[in-house]
Amino acid sequence: MTERLLQLLAGVELFSELDSDDLAKVVTVAQLRPVAKDVTIFHAGDPADAVFVVASGKVKIVVTSSDGKEFILTVLGAGQVFGEMALLESAPRSATVTTATAVELLVINRQDFHHLLSTAPSISRNLLAILSRRLRRANSKMESLAYMDVAGRLARYLLDLARDHGQQLGNGWVVVRRPTHSDIAHSIGTSRETVSRLINEFEDSLGLVNKGKYTYIRESLLG
Ligand code: CMP
């Protein structure tokens, strides 16, 4: 198990600068927890007692409006951290986290996380870089919600998805597995029907190719 944990930790940005002694410390405090698809890890407003790293699979970060509408802030995958905000601020959870696939999570409790932060400065540096990148991404999302029509928002969503999760095929194309059209709709503030219609229209206007759950995008579009 220790070997497996070390292997998983090697792909985690938060711990990327740790030497083997510090990584061994993380191994002693991290617990590996498998969780099935469509399970809520915690709800917005819950008290917080741990931070999580996605070891495999994907989770959705969701906020819900007072009339029950869901908005997906982002989807996080292997190597990414969540649940750090409430611990850093000593505040309740800022959003609900639900598994989008079966996942394995590394769970580190509050006390151990704070101890790691105080003993290994590189973890704090990496965390600041991660939070800064998330703020940049949130700004970009705010801009697109304020100024773009739904087609523009969807195009930006697909391009970001391909940059973050796409696989280069080496022939000028990138392939990416799309979330459900319903989840995409909840990420860009529109309906599932509109997403389905526009994704088909993008085959002509942007030259995308959709095959089942996969979309192929020309690398040149990703900038
Ligand atoms: P926390 O507030 O503890 O619980 C919800 C978590 O969702 C939060 O910590 C962050 O880890 C994550 N989160 C909240 N907002 C965003 C966002 N805009 N982008 C990425 N992750 C987020």
Side-chain angles (χ1 to χ4, degrees):
M1 178 55 90
T2 303
E3 269 310 304
R4 173 94 208 285
L5 279 179
L6 276 172
Q7 229 175 26
L8 293 172
L9 290 173
V12 176
E13 180 181 359
L14 193 60
F15 304 128
S16 64
E17 290 170 48
L18 295 186
D19 60 26
S20 51
D21 284 351
D22 282 335
L23 271 179
K25 282 187 209 150
V26 179
V27 167
T28 61
V29 298
Q31 293 194 346
L32 192 58
R33 186 193 298 171
V35 186
K37 185 175 184 248
D38 292 331
V39 171
T40 296
I41 308 298
F42 52 72
H43 288 97
D46 283 353
D49 55 7
V51 65
F52 302 79
V53 175
V54 183
S56 65
K58 290 198 164 59
V59 299
K60 291 189 273 192
I61 313 285
V62 180
V63 286
T64 310
S65 66
S66 53
D67 57 352
K69 286 195 192 117
E70 279 195 352
F71 186 72
I72 300 176
L73 294 172
T74 194
V75 174
L76 301 179
Q80 294 187 291
V81 63
F82 67 89
E84 75 297 335
M85 285 169 57
L87 294 195
L88 294 172
E89 294 174 280
S90 297
R93 296 297 188 191
S94 62
T96 296
V97 180
T98 305
T99 55
T101 63
V103 298
E104 289 177 300
L105 300 176
L106 292 166
V107 188
I108 301 174
N109 76 33
R110 168 198 292 273
Q111 211 181 347
D112 290 327
F113 181 59
H114 282 298
H115 186 66
L116 287 173
L117 286 180
S118 60
T119 53
S122 73
I123 299 182
S124 301
R125 273 200 307 277
N126 286 345
L127 194 53
L128 285 172
I130 291 166
L131 292 173
S132 169
R133 197 176 322 124
R134 285 186 185 164
L135 185 56
R136 193 184 286 266
R137 181 58 65 89
N139 288 352
S140 159
K141 195 155 185 169
M142 263 195 288
E143 181 204 344
S144 65
L145 285 169
Y147 297 121
M148 286 184 174
D149 63 10
V150 67
R153 301 205 295 273
L154 180 59
R156 181 177 275 191
Y157 176 93
L158 291 172
L159 297 179
D160 284 345
L161 187 73
R163 279 188 205 101
D164 292 348
H165 301 287
Q167 189 195 337
Q168 293 193 335
L169 296 178
N171 57 359
W173 289 82
V174 173
V175 62
V176 67
R177 188 187 163 112
R178 292 191 313 279
T180 64
H181 289 185
S182 167
D183 276 357
I184 297 176
H186 285 135
S187 301
I188 60 170
T190 187
S191 67
R192 184 177 55 75
E193 294 75 12
T194 303
V195 169
S196 300
R197 176 176 57 76
L198 285 171
I199 279 185
N200 283 331
E201 286 178 18
F202 282 174
E203 294 203 343
D204 289 332
S205 56
L206 292 179
L208 308 187
V209 177
N210 298 303
K211 285 193 184 152
K213 292 176 179 165
Y214 292 87
T215 291
Y216 294 75
I217 299 178
R218 282 182 206 282
E219 261 176 36
S220 55
L221 282 180
L222 303 183

